[in-house]
């Protein structure tokens, strides 16, 4: 199982547009990915409702987890996406 911890780079956090961009990218991954914030259970990264309920804000650290072929590459791409300003 592969994991990545990344800080949210969007000033508005994982809210609305940044969350939609992330969920779209996660849904195109060839394997299931989860995302978690400390103190909350992980949710499916391809679920808009799940991602929004995390309430991840700017600078918060989230943990991405995936298992399977290409897990490392998929998590690297998603982590890079989350670390950017996605609300521009």
């Amino acid at each position: 199982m592969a994991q990545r911890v990344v800080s949210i780079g969007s000033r508005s956090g994982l809210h609305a547009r940044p969350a939609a961009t992330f969920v779209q990218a996660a849904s195109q991954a060839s394997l299931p990915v989860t995302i978690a914030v400390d103190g909350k259970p992980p949710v499916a990264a391809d679920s808009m409702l799940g991602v929004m309920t995390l309430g991840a804000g700017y600078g918060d650290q989230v943990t991405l987890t995936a298992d399977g072929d290409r897990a490392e590459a998929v998590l690297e791409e998603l982590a890079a996406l989350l670390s950017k300003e996605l609300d521009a």
Side-chain angles (χ1 to χ4, degrees):
M1 183 171 300
Q3 284 191 329
R4 288 283 184 289
V5 177
V6 61
S7 295
I8 302 298
S10 290
R11 294 273 180 211
S12 62
L14 273 182
H15 193 309
R17 189 175 305 143
T21 301
F22 171 73
V23 167
Q24 182 178 16
S27 69
Q28 293 174 354
S30 58
L31 47 100
V33 178
T34 62
I35 181 171
V37 175
D38 283 343
K40 295 187 180 182
V43 300
D46 62 354
S47 166
M48 184 66 173
L49 183 59
V51 170
M52 294 290 292
T53 61
L54 290 174
Y58 173 72
D60 287 352
Q61 289 194 330
V62 296
T63 303
L64 301 173
T65 306
D67 194 18
D69 292 343
R70 293 191 11 84
E72 293 287 341
V74 166
L75 293 185
E76 194 64 36
E77 291 171 17
L78 292 174
L81 184 65
L82 284 178
S83 67
K84 295 180 187 177
E85 173 60 68
L86 298 176
D87 208 22

